[in-house]
Amino acid sequence: MQSQDVVPRPSSASAPVVDVEQAEAALVEHYPRLVRLAHLVLPPGLGRSRRVLTAHALTQRALPRGRTAPAVIPAQSTGAAAADPGYAFLRVRVVRAALEAGRAGRGGRWPGRLPPLLPQVWGLKLFPRSGGADELALDQRLGALSGPARAAYVLRGLEQLPDAAVRQVLSAAGVADPAAALREADRVPAQYALLDSPEFDPCSLQARPTDLLRRRQHTKAALAAAAALAVCGALVALPGGGWGPDGAAAPAYAQNPSAQAALDPARLTRVSPAAWRTSARLDFSVWPARGDLTGDSALLRRALAVWARPGESVQVTATPGTASGGPAGPPQLLYAGDVDNAHVVILYDGLRIVRYAEPKGSTAGAALDFARVDGAAGAEAAALVLDRSDGNVRYLTAPWVRQAAARDLLRPASAAPVLALRDGVTGPLASPAARAGACTSWNVLQLTGDHGTQVLADLGELVPAHLTTGRPTAPDEAAGAAGLRDWAPYACSLGAMRGQGVRSVNAWPYAEQPLPDGSGTATWVCTRAETWRGDDPRVLAQFLTPGGTTGAVAAKGEDVPACGARAPHVLAGVLWKSQQGSWYLLAAGDEDTASLTTTGGVEATAQGRLLTVRTRQGATADLKGTLRDGSPLRALR
């Protein structure tokens, strides 16, 4: 592997020369910026403390030993470092070192002067201050990228470099295909302002103690003896003198005080049953602990232990984008009780809902389910799936819910039978989540509380999806008569969204179009499913003819802004056959559409939001639109 002190050959004799004094001055002046850059490029899998220390080590070791002439001095950012070639040179070295450290960490080899145990601050753990849910989500998205793509995103956002300059920096840092890295970085939303958050500042740190007990020992032999004695003592004491067996959890090889605190049932957070009445925010943090086993310490201990280290026999599931690691501290208890033939425990750590279930009388066949709920409030925090059995689902509802009912979304005018509601647990409701075959009904959960009525759909996950209707910038609840009518023809399309980590789904009737044969007016509806991870939304444009009961999917898109709150515009087209056998290209945009144009197999232009052109069966065309402000409108395909 190339040494950190070897610099590529200059591209020309006129390339700026950077000596050690100039580089040192740049390092001192811009040290916080360079360390933040290294910290963001390093893989999050290193852990928060190790990532901070490694970022500082790599930045300090970027200082050259003598006069060097870099091969490329890329374009500068717009900040204080704009005209400093020393900073540009150090930036390349920091990016290169962070990428090499990431590759070495995955392959099990570290740079020769950076063994896994160093750098180290004895007696302390150092980590940045915690940010909000947006910062956590961005960190998880960046962690899913390759090292070069992560570096491309950070250079774009933190350094404010144009793509051409990013390619230069990545090339100088040894990236083989900078263009591919930029394309991969495009998958993450451009939330560049979050990169300046304290969550990503390795120079503003919190300190916590590490091994307080072991630091009192004076020799390695004493440390080894103490560790062995602690392990043997734990084995002798359990189950008589300890917390008891961990059931389906894997063996615990090492523990520290914070980990033990997170696994102690006595330290679980329990909220007052009346807390929600005075809270400014209705979310999972104000749910009280319910169920007939909230005092069963052995069950709670097993649930926490399996969460921290699930054994090989445990069936673990997680919605897309949900971390499945153990709790960082004592979580909140939402439920512990008997449901059908299982003991069920539901816990909440501020970002995730965790459901532990084990058969009655045995820990064999235990299951552990994770779901993201960061930012959930109101309807999104109104219910959780408690149990599935024989095609039915039971929910645990929020304390502010007064009534639960079952409603068939395909029959909006039908009655909604009331479900029994006892201590927040609903009676069984036939669920469409696992059903195969023809879609003849679609049951949803209708909840009524102090803040109105909402409709939630079971999509096979722990948290049901919230259904809304109307323009994306101001959607309404789907529980009203108009909302239920809007949803009825499109309910079966929810089946395509199962298991995708869907947070909410909005149905927006964005246009009506008279049919050219005089048979009536067709309706265009856009349904958009937002996910808990904030990316990869699913969008469908559906076309409903007069008298039809089910909308036909005319176009669809994934990870597109169309039909969303940030870009409340949509355009789609469809080939339609009239009752007389004639074929037409029909297209419609939302109310802000000024004109439509189709090229290719069908050439036509229309002023306004609607286009109707006679054509032939199988014709293909490229559809484009223009909004009233002159900006282009791309069609779903």
Side-chain angles (χ1 to χ4, degrees), residues 257-577:
S258 61
Q260 289 179 338
L263 300 179
D264 186 353
R267 300 196 182 189
L268 285 172
T269 300
R270 298 169 187 254
V271 175
S272 165
W276 67 273
R277 298 184 183 277
T278 56
S279 174
R281 182 179 174 87
L282 294 181
D283 58 12
F284 291 111
S285 68
V286 295
W287 279 35
R290 287 168 288 180
D292 54 359
L293 297 179
T294 55
D296 189 336
S297 296
L299 171 63
L300 299 178
R301 165 63 185 166
R302 290 195 299 274
L304 290 167
V306 171
W307 179 0
R309 48 181 203 283
E312 294 181 357
S313 64
V314 178
Q315 180 180 351
V316 180
T317 66
T319 58
T322 304
S324 57
Q332 179 181 342
L333 177 63
L334 303 186
Y335 183 86
D338 290 325
V339 184
D340 294 329
N341 295 316
H343 301 311
V344 177
V345 178
I346 296 182
L347 303 162
Y348 170 61
D349 69 352
L351 295 175
R352 299 171 294 173
I353 292 293
V354 181
R355 177 184 178 274
Y356 170 79
E358 64 180 28
K360 291 182 179 178
S362 173
T363 59
L368 191 66
D369 304 306
F370 294 87
R372 280 184 64 169
V373 290
D374 42 308
E380 294 172 351
L384 296 171
V385 170
L386 191 59
D387 176 68
R388 300 182 193 277
S389 178
D390 299 327
N392 295 322
V393 59
R394 291 181 187 268
Y395 292 94
L396 178 67
T397 62
W400 56 84
V401 171
R402 297 195 308 270
Q403 185 184 78
R407 181 176 286 284
D408 185 353
L409 208 56
L410 293 182
R411 297 169 179 80
S414 64
V418 174
L419 296 174
L421 192 61
R422 181 178 180 182
D423 199 19
V425 178
T426 70
L429 170 66
S431 172
R435 184 182 57 204
C439 180
T440 57
S441 65
W442 194 281
N443 289 333
V444 292
L445 178 68
Q446 180 174 288
L447 298 179
T448 302
D450 292 350
H451 300 276
T453 302
Q454 299 88 31
V455 171
L456 307 175
D458 180 17
L459 298 182
E461 299 174 328
L462 275 181
V463 185
H466 179 208
L467 301 186
T468 58
T469 183
R471 190 170 178 83
T473 52
D476 297 318
E477 295 294 342
L484 292 172
R485 286 195 301 270
D486 287 345
W487 259 108
Y490 313 102
C492 293
S493 66
L494 290 170
M497 303 170 187
R498 294 187 183 110
Q500 302 299 318
V502 173
R503 180 175 190 155
S504 62
V505 189
N506 184 60
W508 175 28
Y510 69 90
E512 292 185 343
Q513 185 168 22
L515 296 176
D517 64 351
S519 60
T521 300
T523 302
W524 288 90
V525 169
C526 181
T527 57
R528 180 182 173 95
E530 300 287 357
T531 65
W532 285 100
R533 57 194 179 276
D535 61 359
D536 197 24
R538 307 299 172 94
V539 180
L540 299 177
Q542 301 188 62
F543 183 73
L544 181 67
T545 55
T549 58
T550 303
V553 177
K556 59 184 177 181
E558 295 183 7
D559 204 14
V560 294
C563 201
R566 294 180 59 187
H569 304 294
V570 61
L571 169 62
V574 67
L575 285 177
W576 176 78
K577 184 179 180 181

Side-chain angles (χ1 to χ4, degrees), residues 33 46 53 55 61 66 76-78 115-116 158 183 233 248 284 321 380 458 466 472 474 511 556 566 587 602 635:
R33 185 188 186 104
L46 288 175
L53 296 176
R61 289 175 48 230
Q76 298 300 298
S77 58
T78 59
L158 185 67
R183 288 194 299 271
F284 291 111
E380 294 172 351
D458 180 17
H466 179 208
K556 59 184 177 181
R566 294 180 59 187
V602 182

Side-chain angles (χ1 to χ4, degrees), residues 197-219:
S197 165
E199 171 86 10
F200 305 120
D201 184 4
C203 291
S204 178
L205 302 172
Q206 299 183 90
R208 294 293 185 272
T210 54
D211 48 356
L212 293 174
L213 295 178
R214 289 191 297 166
R215 282 161 49 198
R216 297 177 182 176
Q217 310 303 319
H218 300 287
T219 65

